[in-house]
Amino acid sequence: MNRLFSAKTLFVSICCVLLASCATTQPQKIETPTASSTSQAPEHPSVANLSAEDRSQLYFSILLADIANKQKLYDVAQSNYFYAAEQTGSKELSSRAAMVALIERDYNNSLEATELWMASAPDDKNAYKIALIASLAQGHTEQATAYLHQLLPLLPENEDEKLYELLRMASFQEEADFVAFFEQVNTPLESPHIATAEAYLRLKSGQPLEQFARIQQLLDYTLAERPNFLSAIELKGEALALHSKEKRQQYLSQVLQNNKLSLEQTYKIGELLYTQRSFSEALIAFKRVLKERPQDQQTLFLEASSYYAMEDYQKASEHFWQLAKNNYKKEISSYYCADSAARVNDFVKAYSCYEMVPVGRYYMTARTELAQLYAEKDMMQASVNSLRQAQRKVGLDDRQRLLEFEINLLTQAGDYEQAERRITSALQVSPNKPFLFYLKLQLLNQTQSVTEFVQSVKTLRANSEAEQLKVDITLIGANFLQGRNSYLIAYQLIEEAAAEHPDNIELLYSKALAAEPLEYYSSMERDLRQVLKIDPDHHHAKNSLGYTLADLNRSLDEAKELIESAYKEQPDNVAIQDSMGWVHYRLGNYDEALKFLEMAYEQEATPEIASHLGEVLWNMDLQERAIDVWQKALRMNPNNQYILRTLRRFPEAKVLTD
């Protein structure tokens, strides 16, 4: 086979630039090796005896192979690597040729390349792995068996590492059936490592239960030969878990109680039990390790975590306290030290541990919980000071969250004056931040009457220069008014702003939504159509308009088209799923309606979705299920008008009289 790339002359000039050893007409200077250099074998065979043209061809082939390999042109890469390997006897080049050929499923050339590889590196285990895979992929079992026997002595002595390498090899090429191969070469059973590898592959197959007897036979043999083979122990636990987690737990506990494991194996078993939430058994392992290695921080950490999971917060706080003081996983250790201490009313330790949490994943939670704890203990100034100190250490978004938390605490404590000062101070620094106006309006909403609050909203809006901020203030104020059941006033507030900005989509859409509880359906439809006229791709408006039409039980074909268009854009949107169900119900497609409503209800069991789902179930003669859904919604939301209106339409359900 001619493995040379025929167009080599195209790149010769490039090679001359890139490679210092490129051919030249000048005499070549050959240095005499020193004594020290002759004692060490060169990494690659010398190419000094090659002609300038042959060296040029060689360098070109290597360069071309590397480029082709990066571009996944494996046939070109393989042929040029092989040529270069033949010329040099290089281990690196022959290994590349073998690997690329294996990827291309060119098993004959892969085997040829591994022969060159083995010649230059007879003890390289990777050469035998690739040769074995290529042989087995061709169905040459005897040849593969020979390579396996050559490979095994080259693998690590450690049993778990040896198994890991066997499994990596076995998972490389799908055309090589290693399950059948391992079974064949290990009959009768005489290799614990091959037996365990076969058990693993069967356990990870698509039908492990059907192979359970064989898996058990293999692992029982292995553990009889190697009682402390940790991977085999873990695999037997996994096999038992196919039937029940309790059986796995009992087995691992039994292994632990036999006390035949090394200290490291004991720790690993403890880790396994911990990940399976068998915390009391895991503690046995951790205590055994700590008896010999009392300063083992990771084991101490897992012991503390086990106590926390078992709700022994006193011991958990003591252990996490020591770990935090030693700066071991300080962020999580100090946080759980504080959390555990607070749960057992050790507030002094809780304060200290919360203060120790560094900036990171747990920092924001720690600071807000610390502030809340101070507030609950009537230490309001300490709470505020703690939050303000934290604000100096974090970025803008987190600073805003902490400020909001601080103002909420002050408001809850009735310290409206300090809350107002804090907001005013922040507004002087950042006068155009919507979230600060949200906080200000939230405070005013709690301290003012509806009339006063509306006037405050209008004043803030009038004093704002930015048009978007005016819109934000309007919508925030309307939202608070709706929360006070002042639906008409909220609608009028948005209507007034929308009159000034008739093409503002935010205001139009919000005005449409504010019209719904007032049953201003004509206005609602008009505004939603105007939104879609301005922005035909506004999927929220499509959904709202479609739902409104469906709820009014008119223009159902148009309603379905609108909702389906919105659903295509956002299939995971719960509101749109609810609308899909409702329009199908109105169209009489009960099965489709049930599918979408159950999908929505599973994600968010809101009163509105519960009302719709219950109504569909009722009309599908599934009254018991309907009553269950309605009763649950009513228990969770006893004053919700939507669920109450629905139940009044179905007096025969007798849910309201229960």
Side-chain angles (χ1 to χ4, degrees), residues 338-478:
D339 183 77
S340 301
R343 290 172 185 270
V344 293
N345 298 326
D346 187 351
F347 298 115
V348 173
K349 182 184 286 185
Y351 300 147
S352 300
C353 289
Y354 276 131
E355 292 284 1
M356 290 169 66
V357 177
V359 175
R361 177 185 172 190
Y362 289 88
Y363 185 71
M364 290 291 291
T365 304
R367 302 311 296 197
T368 53
E369 288 183 5
L370 174 60
Q372 187 69 50
L373 196 60
Y374 277 136
E376 289 172 0
K377 299 302 169 187
D378 295 325
M379 302 167 64
M380 200 61 209
Q381 197 54 51
S383 175
V384 169
N385 291 341
S386 173
L387 289 168
R388 291 180 184 176
Q389 289 170 7
Q391 288 172 47
R392 291 194 285 269
K393 296 182 180 181
V394 295
L396 178 61
D397 289 343
D398 287 339
R399 198 179 310 149
Q400 291 178 350
R401 287 171 54 202
L402 289 169
L403 176 59
E404 182 176 356
F405 193 85
E406 175 192 343
I407 291 166
N408 284 334
L409 275 182
L410 290 167
T411 304
Q412 289 170 17
D415 193 345
Y416 302 122
E417 185 178 340
Q418 188 173 182
E420 172 64 26
R421 286 202 306 270
R422 192 76 177 99
I423 295 170
T424 301
S425 175
L427 280 169
Q428 288 173 349
V429 177
S430 305
N432 295 315
K433 295 291 183 183
F435 102 97
L436 292 175
F437 284 93
Y438 174 87
L439 295 177
K440 186 175 185 66
L441 288 169
Q442 182 183 50
L443 178 62
L444 294 173
N445 185 49
Q446 293 180 280
T447 58
Q448 292 183 336
S449 66
V450 169
T451 304
E452 291 171 332
F453 179 73
V454 171
Q455 186 56 50
S456 294
V457 172
K458 291 181 178 180
T459 301
L460 288 171
R461 187 170 64 188
N463 291 336
S464 300
E465 296 181 1
E467 291 301 319
Q468 183 57 48
L469 188 56
K470 291 177 184 286
V471 173
D472 292 335
I473 290 170
T474 299
L475 298 180
I476 292 167

Side-chain angles (χ1 to χ4, degrees), residues 48 193 196 217 269 271 302 321 429 463 493 545 557-558 565:
H193 304 97
T196 307
Q217 178 193 10
I269 293 294
E271 237 183 358
L302 289 176
W321 172 252
V429 177
N463 291 336
L493 185 67
L545 179 55
D557 289 338
E558 182 189 7
S565 177

Side-chain angles (χ1 to χ4, degrees), residues 522-535:
S522 297
S523 172
M524 185 177 184
E525 181 179 348
R526 185 172 57 253
D527 288 333
L528 289 172
R529 291 191 184 281
Q530 180 63 17
V531 169
L532 290 172
K533 184 178 179 181
I534 298 169
D535 180 6

